[in-house]
Amino acid sequence: MSLNDEALKEDKDTIEEGQENTNTMQKEQDMTQDDIREVDEQEDLINEEESAETAQIEKLQQEIEEMKALAQRTQADFMNYKKRVEKEKSELTVFANEKIVTEMLTIVDNFERALQSEKENSETAFYKGVELILKQLMDTLYKFGLEEIDALNQDFDPNFHHAVIQEEADEPDKVIDVLQKGYKLKYKVIRPSMVKVSK
């Protein structure tokens, strides 16, 4: 082999070696692009999963807030119900006595009339005994929530007073005389005061 042939063979080997290197580099570049594509796909998949998880977390947080609001409303409703039941129970206890207390007022009126008619004999034991019985009866009724309506010299109020007589006076719409006492049971008027009113 001549020198030229050897040089040609070396050039050919160099070219083949260069082509192999180029092929290897192309393969590596192809693999790198595939790797990059695969990494990009994995990142996209991870991003999609994170988005789905974030959406689910937001949905769960919203559900938690709704449940908290529902629990607060339910608790408020229960507290209102409890207060209403306690009030009704209290009123039932008070107003269960209304009928009997109203009936007892007739007896109170009769005791007061008896004492009024015997005013000149107020020092007798009989008068003092009747007065004591009336006081005990009134104390018992007061314990159950009975209150006397203050009427004399007050402004006339049709919620508390029942005007049966009108009379000319300096100041109009004033109660100038009480003909029959009125009473309330707690805050409810069970008998208005029968009064004489100025006009």
Side-chain angles (χ1 to χ4, degrees):
M1 261 203 193
S2 68
L3 206 50
N4 261 346
D5 286 336
E6 276 184 38
L8 277 175
K9 189 176 179 189
E10 278 182 29
D11 285 344
K12 187 178 177 185
D13 288 341
T14 305
I15 290 172
E16 283 177 9
E17 203 175 291
Q19 282 179 343
E20 281 179 30
N21 286 342
T22 304
N23 288 341
T24 304
M25 284 175 58
Q26 183 65 38
K27 284 180 184 176
E28 287 177 1
Q29 190 176 12
D30 288 345
M31 284 178 61
T32 304
Q33 286 178 347
D34 287 343
D35 290 344
I36 290 172
R37 227 177 282 118
E38 188 177 324
V39 167
D40 285 345
E41 287 173 3
Q42 286 179 351
E43 283 179 356
D44 289 344
L45 187 62
I46 289 170
N47 287 338
E48 286 175 15
E49 288 176 1
E50 285 177 352
S51 295
E53 287 175 0
T54 303
Q56 182 144 7
I57 288 170
E58 288 174 359
K59 182 181 176 187
L60 291 174
Q61 285 175 336
Q62 184 179 359
E63 287 179 11
I64 288 170
E65 292 302 318
E66 288 172 2
M67 291 296 177
K68 280 183 184 177
L70 178 64
Q72 288 172 341
R73 281 193 305 271
T74 304
Q75 186 177 17
D77 287 345
F78 178 72
M79 293 305 289
N80 290 336
Y81 169 77
K82 187 176 175 183
K83 286 176 187 175
R84 188 173 58 248
V85 167
E86 286 174 4
K87 182 181 176 191
E88 287 172 0
K89 185 178 173 183
S90 172
E91 286 177 354
L92 183 66
T93 304
V94 169
F95 296 118
N97 298 326
E98 181 179 354
K99 180 107 174 110
I100 193 163
V101 169
T102 304
E103 293 294 323
M104 296 293 285
L105 291 179
T106 306
I107 298 168
V108 169
D109 292 339
N110 289 335
F111 269 119
E112 287 176 343
R113 283 190 204 103
L115 290 174
Q116 189 67 32
S117 69
E118 293 295 317
K119 199 99 169 151
E120 66 276 350
N121 298 327
S122 63
E123 297 302 316
T124 65
F126 179 75
Y127 184 90
K128 290 192 183 299
V130 171
E131 192 175 47
L132 183 60
I133 292 170
L134 176 61
K135 183 183 178 327
Q136 287 176 334
L137 178 60
M138 291 307 295
D139 288 344
T140 302
L141 292 173
Y142 290 147
K143 263 196 277 187
F144 287 100
L146 185 72
E147 296 176 44
E148 186 177 330
I149 296 172
D150 188 23
L152 192 60
N153 299 322
Q154 300 293 317
D155 290 333
F156 175 73
D157 183 348
N159 296 313
F160 298 104
H161 309 128
H162 176 68
V164 290
I165 303 173
Q166 282 192 324
E167 192 175 281
E168 291 289 335
D170 296 337
E171 203 173 340
D173 292 329
K174 284 280 190 187
V175 175
I176 52 177
D177 193 14
V178 178
L179 306 174
Q180 185 182 48
K181 292 179 182 178
Y183 294 95
K184 296 186 295 182
L185 193 57
K186 293 290 184 185
Y187 52 84
K188 181 181 179 186
V189 175
I190 59 172
R191 185 173 85 179
S193 300
M194 204 175 293
V195 296
K196 183 192 291 186
V197 182
S198 61
K199 62 178 180 175

